[in-house]
Amino acid sequence: MNSGLPQHLSIDSIVKRFGTFTALNGIHLSAARGELLTLLGPSGCGKTTLLRVIAGFLQPDAGQVRVAGRSLNGVPSNARNFGMVFQNYAIFPHLSVADNVAYGLRARGVTSADIARRVADALARVRLAGFADRFPDALSGGQKQRVGLARAMVIEPELLLMDEPLSNLDAKLRIEMRQEIRLMQRELGITTVYVTHDQEEALAISDRIAVMDKGRILQVGSPRDIYEQPADAFVADFIGGCNWFEGTVSNGELRLAAGPRLACAAKPQTARLALRWEDLRLATEADPPHHRLSARVAMASYLGHRVRLQLAPQNGGAAICADLPSHGEVPAEGTTALFAFDPQRARVFGTDGTRLL
Amino acid sequence: MRRAPALPPGGVLARLDPWPLLGAAALLVVLVFVAWPLSELAVESFIGQESGRLGFENYAAFFGSSYFRRALFNSLTVGAIGTVIALCIGVPLALAYARFAFPGRDTIEVGILLSMLSPPFVGAYAWILMFGRSGWVSEFARGLGLDLPPIYGTLGISMACAFGLYPLVFMVVRSGLARVNRNLEEAAYSLGRGRLGVMFTITLPLVLPALLTAALLVFLGVVSDFGTPAILGEGERFPVLATLAYSLYLSEIGAEPGMAATTCMILLAITLVLVIGVRFLSGRRSVASDTGGSLALQPLVGVRKWAMTAGVALLVLTANMPTIVVVVCSFLEVRGAVFQPVFTLANYQSAMVAMGNALWNSLLLATIALALIIVVGAGAGYYISRRSGLLPRALDLLIMVPFVVPGTVLGIGYATVFNEPPLLLTGTYAIIAIVYVIRRLPYMTRSCAAIVFQIDRGLEDASLSLGRPPLAGFRRIVLPLMQPGIVAGAAIAWVEVFSELSASIVLYTGPTRTLPIAAYQQAATGDFGLAAAYSTLLVGIAAIGLFIFLFAARGRRERAFGWV
Ligand SMILES: Nc1ncnc2c1ncn2[C@@H]1O[C@H](COP(=O)(O)OP(=O)(O)OP(=O)(O)O)[C@@H](O)[C@H]1O
Ligand SMILES: [Mg+2]
């Protein structure tokens, strides 16, 4: 974590239980001013719970949330000045677009001339300038989400919280909106906590990502770190497609049951090797034999920019995948081919999930 | 550098969550006005009327007396027969409205609404006018040499009640039908079943919980009703539990409060057993699903279309006949106890004099009660459906109790408890207003809780995150969205409060007499012309109130959702 920098948001040992179930189990996290921090994890891992603790909708059983060094314990959510964007938009259905956006400003006693100006600005920023008098029923999903965004931003929040804001939109709109959100967030410099379970979205939008599982944070890092240097087998598996090979480490070498070997300095133990789908390629003369793997192509799916092969390794073992560039050479279904990998692309994990190599 | 954000204004008040406090206050009120009188009655029922000792003496006396046993038996048979009749009217209507398009649907539906408006005892009085000893129909039949079965007793009471209560069946079953997943019926059609087959094998079994609920509501309505058996039971000759309790408590010679309490407890026990039984039965088979939406209305063609209209219209007209008869009679001249075919306003002229301040009392009390019902009911409905924990659950339970407590029972409970300090309320306007509120609060709370349940919680979170304290968010976001539920609850509550008889008849004194009480008294013992005029005023004002609510609801909605 980027310690040393003054942290705008810092979350300290947060524990949240529902009855006997522990939804958040000691969360530490921080974000610098202006940073976009994403909480990424599978369904039920506690992302929403953490966000709602930050927002003040839930009281943690232990721990602290601090913003700009100030503890938020006992501060009700309506006094926190955090903007929030909701998954199901939560646009007030009986208020016009302009009244929705003005809602928070009215609560702050802003003069009506100021309100009019700021609402117009905010609507222009989310490209809804002509929609001020519309009612929510007459808006598309994307437009509702923009209203939600404008409503949260217009109060100049200390912190912006977003819970899967794009998950109800269709694929194309999702990509468009996430770029808009990113641009706007940077422009305004609002510290943002963004929740998603879509890894591609997380990689695309974040300054840093916190990967969560079962109420814990497994790794925090830049998108590139998370993808290329997963700290943990769960993180490696959750983000991107991974092939897993069982093997054992002995005498400074990892031997896979499937055949290949590579150097590994860890102490003798059973281990697993993770190899991303795109890191498995057709073998060339230059590849040493112990980095090769012979497999039959069970199925080839054309995905546009890639061809995804389902492979059955020759010497047994679970089915694996390989993503090959679609413009290059691609073996036909039913044929057997030799594949290879670069050892520096391989990640090795112990049985408990910790990274060995 | 960004400038420091303006934190929302407001001190301690903005930071406090006021709902638990309001909830606790409401709980205190229902403890005093629901739990206390009922537990007092329960205790009294175990204090021997003769000996003053604690025990089952009163219960033994009750079941030892053939007269008391007959009251119990009468209540049960009247309830059962009334329920069957109401189902026979309500279920076909519900099916017709939930499934078929036919001409005149909306117009006829107003008729169904109207039959809810007139309290059953007004119907009972109309039955006497038509089928009583000197009723026209009876006279006419006698002229033809026919002797009609007597209207006094079981048949008359159950019919009069059923004609007033079938709209409940209609509404409950229709909304149950609307919630049946359309794919289920479509699947049955696609498997080759005809319309009737689908109705009996799929539709009706699926709405069984709704049918049970409807039957329960009608049964409770019949056994709790005081006015109808009091008018059609000819005083002591055909006792039911409600009239028995009343006369035991208030009889001028030798009132027996202990036995009255015991009778109340037995009446209450019947209603509780039924409520719990129906809960149990329908809880086990919750089959209605809210996905998929309901079937589109099937258009009928040719003769069938008109046959449907005629059938539905005839049914509704029959059910409204008593009210129509009363209204018409109110404009007829009365000579002796017989209406003459001469139109006159004489009945209203004498009503204006005879009624004293009954009309004014009713308007005042019902308006005050309604205002309280709206405020307390909307708040409690919100609190109950949004919060979890012991306090909201207890509040929910206690608010709902009066829904199944017969009015006479509650009235006797109030008369017993609030007859002495610390809360000396008997004889006041307050006690009648309070009993109105307590009896009809459940409608509003339910209606509001149901709609709050459908309002996205996220809206309140959004409001909080934008800096509004909880109460402000409630007022600006939740309350406007609750409006349809509030209006629906208020409309029913108004009608019910304005024609409330069975509790207020126990609690009124001369100066606090209300219009339903005056109408009942004239119908039971007095002047037929006055009774008709009072009843017409009663139904008319209830109707005006109802239509104002329905109209206001429509106007508001259009204003709030301006693009329509
Ligand atoms: N009010 C509650 N009572 C009991 N358990 C709860 C409550 N709210 C959340 N949970 C549990 O806490 C866990 C975390 O829930 P949370 O909503 O934070 O998950 P999430 O990561 O946001 O998942 P998703 O991606 O599906 O939205 C889940 O197992 C959930 O069942
Ligand atoms: Mg979530």
Side-chain angles (χ1 to χ4, degrees), chain B residues 318-391:
Chain B
T318 311
N320 276 302
M321 191 49 83
T323 314
I324 296 171
V325 166
V326 170
V327 172
V328 171
C329 284
S330 75
F331 294 103
L332 295 183
E333 193 182 310
V334 192
R335 220 171 287 146
V338 184
F339 286 96
Q340 307 296 320
V342 179
F343 282 96
T344 169
L345 286 177
N347 294 326
Y348 288 93
Q349 281 160 354
S350 34
M352 285 306 142
V353 181
M355 123 177 113
N357 54 358
L359 174 61
W360 167 242
N361 282 348
S362 266
L363 284 172
L364 181 75
L365 287 168
T367 308
I368 292 174
L370 186 67
L372 285 170
I373 288 173
I374 291 175
V375 173
V376 179
Y382 169 81
Y383 179 63
I384 285 166
S385 93
R386 269 294 187 262
R387 304 299 171 101
S388 54
L390 204 60
L391 181 60

Side-chain angles (χ1 to χ4, degrees), chain B residues 73-74 77-78 81-82 150-160 232 238:
Chain B
F73 176 79
N74 286 344
T77 42
V78 163
I81 296 175
I151 197 65
Y152 306 93
T154 313
L155 192 65
I157 297 174
S158 28
M159 282 184 80
L232 282 174
F238 187 87

Side-chain angles (χ1 to χ4, degrees), chain B residues 20 33 70 124 145 161 267 270 277 333 361 442 451 462 468 474 479 506 515 541 563:
Chain B
F33 291 108
R70 197 144 60 83
C161 287
L267 188 48
I270 294 175
E333 193 182 310
N361 282 348
I451 206 156
R468 299 259 196 203
F474 174 74
L479 213 50
V506 183
L515 191 58
I541 295 174
W563 71 89

